[in-house]
Amino acid sequence: MNRRGQVRFENIVKMHGDFAALKDVSFAIESGEFFALLGPSGSGKSTTLRILAGLDAPTSGRVFIDGQDITASDARDRDIAMVFQSYALYPHMTVYENIAFPLEMAKLSKAAIGPAVQEAARKVAIDHLLDRKPGQLSGGQQQRCALARAIVRKARLFLLDEPLSNLDAKLRLETRTELKKLQRSLGVTAVYVTHDQEEAMTLADRMAVFMAGQIQQTGRPAEVFARPNSIDVAAFIGSPPMNLIPARYSSGSVEIAGSRLETSQKEAGDRDVVVGIRPGAVRIAACGIPATVELVEDLGDTAILDLDCGGTFIRARISDGDIPHEGAALSITARAHDIHLFDPTTRRRL
Ligand SMILES: Nc1ncnc2c1ncn2[C@@H]1O[C@H](COP(=O)(O)OP(=O)(O)O)[C@@H](O)[C@H]1O
Ligand SMILES: [Mg+2]
């Protein structure tokens, strides 16, 4: 596979009347990357994908693929394959005919189409179902058929819009793993829309976090998880989400529920902050912030504790040691480098 499928969005704005669905969106995707557009519903992910595919035109800004400005070019000339949430298979056609369809549109010969369809179907393990109609397939098989139809074109870019959301939980996990393997083996650039942070975290090489028509943060999933650059990203990523606690900072520590926790981030002077602590970073300790266990959610290998710290509510996830009982009194702490500080006004990381 040659190095192709690079994408660049430059200052893309999309207006629907007075409403800005995208407000100055810029990002770049490298060849061969699995890139996720992650964000809550309505944040502009699908709009971004549709503009990349050429199904929608931006109000302003430019889109480049492989260095070429394609903002004004027709969807059919972009060499892109798209897989949607609804599989959009042709119900009256067989699996074979569905997969062959893009090649027939491209006027390939019958002799060339047969082997190409076979190969694509084999890659997603539906080559034994070629004579069936979509209505005779399970949800997972339909999704594979849609993938095969995308693979068969050997397009330079794969766009996927919530492709797993119609599958049940178990199949979603299996298909997720297969999708990643498939993308790796094809070496194709993939742009993947999802509102599911776990899906983005596990699939993506890099991701852009969308909120209200803007990209809040771009980076590798582990980076974004470790250093969210705003309160909104911090609250969106991680399950359960980060504890976010209004507090006062002074001389290298923050005060929470009457106790002090040392921070590794140092600020000049005293100030109000929002303290972020991941549930997994909360430790049960001999001395620290006094807490009462309100609720225990035992998940088997981990447990989620809802803690009442003198009126401040903190969630902890513990994965080893004895699980405390509901009603137990204990104390908690967190290591200095696990404490994130945000500005309550700008909502940005300090
Ligand atoms: N044709 C349209 N007319 C008006 N508003 C639209 C249109 N298409 C999308 N929007 C709005 O733009 C915003 C972004 O939509 P979308 O990109 O589909 O979000 P996402 O995929 O992140 O859920 C939403 O608020 C949606 O209601
Ligand atoms: Mg969408």
Side-chain angles (χ1 to χ4, degrees):
M1 190 99 209
N2 42 13
R3 307 295 296 167
R4 53 183 208 143
Q6 288 174 353
V7 173
R8 198 163 86 247
F9 264 50
E10 235 177 57
N11 308 110
I12 292 291
V13 173
K14 177 65 181 180
M15 303 297 297
H16 291 292
D18 288 343
F19 175 76
L22 295 177
K23 310 165 190 165
D24 195 14
V25 165
S26 300
F27 61 89
I29 304 174
E30 294 304 316
S31 178
E33 258 189 328
F34 201 118
F35 193 86
L37 312 181
L38 171 67
S41 174
S43 57
K45 309 177 299 291
S46 294
T47 303
T48 301
L49 210 64
R50 292 176 57 81
I51 288 173
L52 180 52
L55 301 174
D56 253 340
T59 306
S60 63
R62 300 199 294 169
V63 181
F64 297 83
I65 300 180
D66 295 330
Q68 196 190 351
D69 185 343
I70 50 100
T71 318
S73 70
D74 201 275
R76 280 166 301 186
D77 301 329
R78 294 190 184 197
D79 190 13
I80 284 175
M82 193 144 173
V83 180
F84 294 94
Q85 172 180 350
S86 59
Y87 319 119
L89 300 173
Y90 301 107
H92 57 284
M93 292 186 190
T94 63
V95 168
Y96 180 96
E97 288 161 347
N98 266 284
I99 301 172
F101 188 73
L103 301 182
E104 271 161 14
M105 294 303 285
K107 307 233 181 304
L108 256 70
S109 70
K110 279 244 171 341
I113 291 176
V117 170
Q118 286 288 344
E119 192 196 340
R122 191 174 44 75
K123 282 195 173 128
V124 293
I126 54 164
D127 43 342
H128 58 297
L129 303 171
L130 289 170
D131 295 332
R132 295 219 193 150
K133 298 268 174 69
Q136 299 167 303
L137 302 178
S138 70
Q141 290 165 340
Q142 288 184 44
Q143 187 54 277
R144 286 154 192 251
C145 182
L147 279 171
R149 196 173 52 181
I151 293 169
V152 78
R153 298 177 42 196
K154 302 198 191 304
R156 60 179 162 179
L157 258 179
F158 259 47
L159 310 188
L160 303 110
D161 195 343
E162 313 247 8
L164 308 183
S165 52
N166 280 346
L167 306 180
D168 68 46
K170 183 169 176 287
L171 196 56
R172 193 156 60 228
L173 285 188
E174 287 170 17
T175 314
R176 186 167 91 187
T177 312
E178 282 164 16
L179 198 59
K180 176 87 178 188
K181 284 187 192 155
L182 185 65
Q183 183 265 345
R184 284 280 184 269
S185 71
L186 297 171
V188 70
T189 310
V191 190
Y192 188 97
V193 164
T194 180
H195 66 275
D196 180 335
Q197 48 106 11
E198 191 184 301
E199 219 168 87
M201 295 289 291
T202 50
L203 280 172
D205 297 312
R206 286 193 311 131
M207 64 187 188
V209 184
F210 277 72
M211 303 220 159
Q214 285 176 307
I215 293 180
Q216 291 270 324
Q217 189 166 3
T218 307
R220 288 189 295 110
E223 270 165 24
V224 177
F225 184 84
R227 273 185 74 80
N229 66 4
S230 71
I231 290 177
D232 303 297
V233 173
F236 189 69
I237 288 173
S239 176
M242 191 182 267
N243 294 291
L244 292 158
I245 310 150
R248 185 83 187 157
Y249 171 94
S250 63
S251 47
S253 65
V254 286
E255 187 183 321
I256 295 173
S259 304
R260 300 207 73 84
L261 285 181
E262 200 192 321
T263 63
S264 54
Q265 259 172 280
K266 304 296 178 204
E267 295 302 314
D270 298 5
R271 58 166 302 157
D272 288 333
V273 293
V274 170
V275 172
I277 308 174
R278 295 251 175 241
V282 175
R283 319 252 146 157
I284 297 174
C287 82
I289 305 167
T292 308
V293 180
E294 282 213 313
L295 193 70
V296 177
E297 227 181 306
D298 195 342
L299 305 173
D301 50 354
T302 63
I304 311 293
L305 310 181
D306 285 4
L307 302 169
D308 181 355
C309 306
T312 301
F313 175 80
I314 294 181
R315 271 218 168 113
R317 198 184 66 231
I318 55 170
S319 47
D320 46 31
D322 292 335
I323 296 169
H325 300 288
E326 285 171 11
L330 42 81
S331 60
I332 56 165
T333 187
R335 292 180 299 190
H337 67 261
D338 285 331
I339 294 176
H340 307 252
L341 299 181
F342 300 96
D343 184 319
T345 310
T346 65
R347 304 180 73 77
R348 309 297 290 181
R349 185 185 193 87
L350 287 171

